[in-house]
Amino acid sequence: MTTDPLVIFTPSGKRGHFPIGTPILTAARQLGVDLDSVCGGRGICSKCQITPSYGEFSKHGVTVEAGALSDWNSVEQRYDDIRGLPKGRRLGCQATVQADVVVDVPAESQVHKQVVRKRAEVRDITLHPSTRLYYVEVQEPDMHDPSGDLQRLVTALRRDWDLPALEADLGVLQEMQTALRKGEWKVTCAVHHGDTTFAPRIMRVWPGYFDGEIYGLAVDLGSTTIAAHLCNLHNGEVVASSGIMNPQIRFGEDLMSRVSYGMMNTGGAAEMTQAVREGMNALFVQIASEAGIDRTLIMDAVFVCNPVMHHLFLGIDPFELGQAPFALATSDALSLRAIELDLNIHPAARVYMLPCIAGHVGADAAAVALSEHPDTSEDLVLVVDVGTNAEILLGNTEKVLACSSPTGPAFEGAQISSGQRAAPGAIERVEIDPVTKTPRFRVIGSDVWSDEDGFLDSLGRSGVTGICGSGIIEIVAEMRMAGIVDGPGLIGSAEQTGSPNCFADGRTNSYLIYDGTANGGPKITVTNRDIREIQMAKAALYSGARLLMDKFGVDKVDRVVLAGAFGAHISPKHAMVLGMIPDAPLDKVTSAGNAAGTGARIALLNTKARAEIEETVRKIHKIETAIEPRFQEHFVNASNIPNAVEPFPILRGIVSLPEVNHNDGGSGDAGGRRRRGRRGAA
C-alpha cells in the first residue's frame, strides 16, 4: 500500500497518490485533470492557478493540514508583485505536494470551459415587476414654501403617477439634489413598489429623461452550478444568461459533505458563505459585461436554491439541516437588500428569496412548482428536477406531494472514472450496436458521430476529453440493452458478452468507449465502479418518486416532466431503461428545461406570482425520505437496472432487455445463463 500523499482534484473528483515534491500541474496531467498551462511550467502565464482547500473532508476521508503544499516561492511572489494572484490561489507549476491535499481547479484555469446548460426557457410571463421608471417635473423650491426637495419629489410622483407616499434611502438623498438641478427640476426615478417587508421607496434618481432600462436578475443557485438570467424589467426580455460552477464544490460535491465540512472545521460555514458570494459576484460581473450594462442598473433579484445553499448564501450555519428533524432557520420567503448579502449590484436593490418547502425541499422546488403548476393538472404528473440533489413533486388538482432525494454528483459526471462536467469534447450521446457490441458516440461541440467521416476534424482543438452526465446515462443504458451489463450492474467479460470492447480490469471487467492514446489523447472507459455510482444515483432518484407514489396511493403516473438543465438533455428512453423514472409512455415523458430558473424569472417579473407561490407552498405536503422506512426498500430494488421487482411493462413493450447474469462465470453469445424465479429482474 502506497504511503505517498493523496491528491484530490475538484470539481472533477479525480484522485491519485503522488510522491512528495510532485508539482500539482504534473499530478493534474497524469490524472487527466483539465488544468491549463501555456508557458511549460515556468510560472509566467499563470494559466495553471489552483486553490488548495484545508480542513477535514469526511467524504474524501482526508484532513488537509496547512503544510500540504510547498511554501510560497519566489516565482509566485514575482508574479504576484507584477500581476497579482487572487487571495488563496497558487500556481500549479510551482506548488508541490507535501501531504494529502484537496485542490480546486477554478473555471478560468480549465482548458475546456464548462458548458452551464441552464438556458432561459421561452415562456409567456405576465409583467408586474417590483421596480419601474417614472418621469416627473418637480416644483422648484420657494422661500415661502420650506418643504425639502424629497418631499416635493414625492408630491410630484403622487400627483402624476398616483404613487403612495414614498421613502428614500440615504444613497438617494445624496444624489437627488444634484440630479434635480442638473435636470432643471425634471428627473426620472426608479421606484420600488414595496412588499410585505419594505415600504414603497425611491431607488435612484436621474437628471431629466432617462432613456435607458433597469434590470433584474433571476438566479438559480445550485449545488454544482450557479445560473443567472438578466432580464429587462420593462419588457421582460432576457438580455443575457450565464453560469459558473459553484465555488463551494471544493468543500464537498454533495450537500451533506458541505454540512459536514461546516461541522468539522471552525469557521467552515462562513468560509463557504464567502466562497459562494464571491462566485455570485463574479457571475454578475460576467453577465453585466456580456449585456454591456452598468451593474448598478440591476434593481431587483430573485434567488432559488435548495435549503443548504439557502442557508450558506444567507450566512446561516446549516448544522441543523444535517440532523433530524432537519429544522430550517426559516421556511418563509425573504425580502432583503443586496447590500446585506455583499452583492455587487445596485446597493439598494431588493433581493427576494422564494420560500422553502421543508428541511430538504427548498426554494428551487417551490420555483419548479411555480413554473410547472402540478396543482392545476387534471392528470397525475411527476415533476423531477434532476441534479446533485433532486427535487421531486407529484400531484394534480387534488393535492401535491414533494420530497428531495440525494442523488449525488454522478449525474454531473463527477465520481466517474472518465467523467467530466459538460464541456466541448465531452461525450454526450452514445449508441451501442446490438450485433457487434461496439459503441459510437457524439461529443459536445460536434454534430458528427464518431464512426462518420470527418469526426476528428470536426472536434477542433478540444478532441475527445471524457464523458458528461447525459453521456454516462446513455452509455449505461445502452450497455444494459446490449447485454454488456446485467441487471445487478455487473459488466461481463468479452467471452460472456461477445464484445471485443470488454476487458479484464482487476477483479471485474470494464468497457472501452474510445482509445485516443495513439494521438496523445485519453483512454475512455466505463468501469464497474462507474456503473455502481450511477446505480446509487438513479436508485435514490427513483426511490424518492416511488415513495411519493406510495403516499398518493398509486402504482403509475400519467405524465413525467424532467426539469433542470441536466434533465433537458436526458433521453427519456435511456432514463427509463436505467430505471431513473417510473414506467410511463415515452411520449408522456417531456422536458421542462430549467424549470427552477423559469420559476425565478416568473417571480422576478411578476410580483403577484410571489404571493401565489407562497400560498401554494403552504398547501404542498412534504415527505421526508430520511425517516421513511420504505425509502430504503425502494432504494435496494431500484439499484437493479431497471428494477429488481417493478416489471416496467410499457418499457418492455418498446425495448428488449436481455436476461443475463455475468456473476455465474458462464459464457455465450448474449452473456451467460438466463435467470430463474425472479419477477422483473432485468
Side-chain angles (χ1 to χ4, degrees):
M1 182 176 179
T2 181
T3 57
D4 289 335
L6 175 64
V7 181
I8 301 171
F9 287 94
T10 64
S12 68
K14 294 182 178 179
R15 59 175 63 199
H17 291 272
F18 296 90
I20 292 175
T22 303
I24 291 296
L25 179 60
T26 301
R29 285 173 171 170
Q30 291 184 19
L31 289 174
V33 172
D34 194 13
L35 180 57
D36 203 356
S37 178
V38 174
C39 69
R42 296 179 179 85
I44 299 171
C45 70
S46 84
K47 300 289 188 183
C48 64
Q49 290 183 33
I50 51 97
T51 303
S53 297
Y54 301 99
E56 185 173 343
F57 297 85
S58 56
K59 182 176 180 64
H60 298 310
V62 298
T63 298
V64 182
E65 306 290 352
L69 293 182
S70 58
D71 292 338
W72 181 267
N73 67 15
S74 59
V75 175
E76 291 172 301
Q77 185 61 55
R78 183 182 71 228
Y79 186 88
D80 191 35
D81 291 341
I82 298 172
R83 298 186 184 179
L85 275 173
K87 185 179 179 182
R89 292 277 180 89
R90 298 290 303 274
L91 296 181
C93 62
Q94 301 299 311
T96 62
V97 177
Q98 302 297 314
D100 293 348
V101 66
V102 176
V103 175
D104 182 62
V105 181
E108 58 268 31
S109 297
Q110 297 172 21
V111 181
H112 306 100
K113 307 304 182 192
Q114 164 86 12
V115 178
V116 179
R117 294 173 153 182
K118 295 186 175 181
R119 68 179 187 272
E121 305 298 328
V122 176
R123 183 69 66 92
D124 289 330
I125 300 174
T126 302
L127 291 178
H128 195 273
S130 68
T131 307
R132 294 175 185 256
L133 294 176
Y134 297 94
Y135 172 79
V136 290
E137 297 183 5
V138 181
Q139 181 182 340
E140 296 186 34
D142 189 299
M143 289 291 291
H144 303 291
D145 182 1
S147 62
D149 286 350
L150 175 62
Q151 286 67 43
R152 281 179 281 103
L153 174 59
V154 170
T155 298
L157 287 165
R158 184 188 303 121
R159 178 196 67 218
D160 293 353
W161 296 101
D162 197 27
L163 294 176
L166 299 173
E167 299 179 1
D169 292 331
L170 177 60
V172 171
L173 293 176
Q174 291 168 340
E175 67 181 14
M176 177 193 63
Q177 290 193 302
T178 301
L180 282 167
R181 285 154 180 82
K182 186 177 179 180
E184 298 180 344
W185 305 100
K186 302 176 185 68
V187 293
T188 303
C189 299
V191 176
H192 184 273
H193 287 235
D195 52 34
T196 56
T197 302
F198 296 107
R201 66 186 55 228
I202 300 169
M203 304 282 284
R204 186 168 176 177
V205 181
W206 291 268
Y209 177 73
F210 175 61
D211 188 20
E213 303 288 354
I214 56 174
Y215 302 89
L217 282 166
V219 183
D220 180 4
L221 172 53
S223 311
T224 303
T225 57
I226 307 172
H229 306 299
L230 182 69
C231 301
N232 183 316
L233 291 181
H234 173 66
N235 58 24
E237 178 189 358
V238 179
V239 296
S241 295
S242 192
I244 61 168
M245 301 297 294
N246 188 330
Q248 288 183 351
I249 287 175
R250 66 178 184 266
F251 303 106
E253 292 173 322
D254 59 82
L255 295 175
M256 286 302 101
S257 294
R258 295 179 204 177
V259 173
S260 175
Y261 183 86
M263 290 178 177
M264 301 291 189
N265 299 278
T266 303
E271 191 179 356
M272 289 185 283
T273 295
Q274 180 181 355
V276 75
R277 289 183 182 178
E278 288 177 351
M280 196 83 69
N281 283 330
L283 175 59
F284 295 166
V285 170
Q286 176 181 321
I287 199 169
S289 176
E290 289 178 8
I293 70 160
D294 184 340
R295 291 195 310 279
T296 61
L297 293 175
I298 301 173
M299 299 283 180
D300 197 10
V302 169
F303 287 83
V304 300
C305 45
N306 61 61
V308 172
M309 293 311 309
H310 172 278
H311 279 43
L312 287 172
F313 177 50
L314 293 175
I316 302 170
D317 192 327
F319 175 83
E320 295 298 336
L321 296 175
Q323 56 187 357
F326 314 109
L328 289 156
T330 179
S331 57
D332 288 345
L334 294 173
S335 292
L336 306 163
R337 293 187 302 155
I339 197 170
E340 296 178 82
L341 299 172
D342 303 322
L343 300 180
N344 59 1
I345 54 180
H346 192 285
R350 288 338 190 219
V351 171
Y352 177 78
M353 299 195 70
L354 268 71
C356 291
I357 296 176
H360 284 296
V361 187
D364 45 1
V368 171
L370 179 59
S371 171
E372 298 308 306
H373 286 290
D375 56 315
T376 64
S377 175
E378 292 296 332
D379 51 9
L380 186 60
V381 57
L382 177 73
V383 184
V384 183
D385 192 350
V386 187
T388 306
N389 192 64
E391 282 74 36
I392 307 169
L393 301 168
L394 176 67
N396 54 20
T397 53
E398 177 187 339
K399 63 183 175 182
V400 177
L401 307 180
C403 74
S404 71
S405 203
T407 53
F411 287 153
E412 304 278 355
Q415 298 179 346
I416 303 298
S417 61
S418 295
Q420 66 168 85
R421 309 296 181 187
I427 295 172
E428 64 170 346
R429 295 290 315 281
V430 180
E431 294 177 354
I432 295 178
D433 188 291
V435 178
T436 65
K437 309 292 179 73
T438 56
R440 72 176 195 142
F441 56 85
R442 270 183 17 201
V443 304
I444 296 174
S446 172
D447 292 328
V448 183
W449 286 86
S450 60
D451 60 348
E452 294 177 345
D453 293 338
F455 170 69
L456 292 177
D457 292 337
S458 73
L459 303 180
R461 292 182 56 193
S462 70
V464 182
T465 56
I467 309 168
C468 70
S470 58
I472 192 65
I473 285 177
E474 292 204 6
I475 288 172
V476 177
E478 288 281 327
M479 291 172 70
R480 180 68 188 89
M481 289 188 287
I484 295 167
V485 167
D486 63 13
L490 195 64
I491 300 175
S493 65
E495 181 185 20
Q496 288 174 310
T497 64
S499 173
N501 288 52
C502 292
F503 62 95
D505 189 3
R507 298 176 62 184
T508 58
N509 296 297
S510 293
Y511 182 74
L512 177 66
I513 302 296
Y514 173 76
D515 188 354
T517 54
N519 298 314
K523 184 176 182 179
I524 297 174
T525 63
V526 176
T527 68
N528 242 119
R529 179 178 175 181
D530 297 337
I531 301 290
R532 189 62 176 162
E533 292 288 349
I534 292 299
Q535 285 177 286
M536 295 299 96
K538 72 95 176 180
L541 185 64
Y542 180 87
S543 302
R546 194 65 184 83
L547 187 63
L548 294 187
M549 293 165 66
D550 289 346
K551 296 295 183 180
F552 219 100
V554 299
D555 288 319
K556 62 186 181 73
V557 299
D558 299 317
R559 291 189 294 124
V560 178
V561 177
L562 297 173
F566 178 62
H569 293 83
I570 298 174
S571 154
K573 182 181 80 171
H574 291 96
M576 204 168 292
V577 168
L578 203 58
M580 288 176 61
I581 55 177
D583 196 37
L586 290 185
D587 61 354
K588 296 296 183 180
V589 182
T590 59
S591 169
N594 183 19
T598 300
R601 283 172 50 223
I602 294 171
L604 173 70
L605 298 171
N606 183 6
T607 54
K608 293 182 179 179
R610 301 180 185 183
E612 175 189 331
I613 191 57
E614 290 172 26
E615 178 63 26
T616 299
V617 162
R618 284 191 280 270
K619 297 177 181 177
I620 294 176
H621 301 265
K622 304 89 177 174
I623 307 298
E624 183 52 68
T625 58
I627 59 174
E628 289 288 341
R630 291 214 69 190
F631 181 83
Q632 189 60 32
E633 176 188 337
H634 288 314
F635 184 89
V636 172
N637 293 334
S639 296
N640 253 51
I641 305 174
N643 198 289
V645 297
E646 302 287 349
F648 279 75
I650 298 173
L651 173 66
R652 290 180 179 279
I654 301 168
V655 301
S656 174
L657 299 179
E659 290 196 37
V660 295
N661 182 355
H662 298 318
N663 197 33
D664 63 2
S667 62
D669 56 358
R673 303 167 189 156
R674 290 182 174 270
R675 296 187 187 167
R676 301 179 185 274
R678 290 186 64 187
R679 182 174 71 89

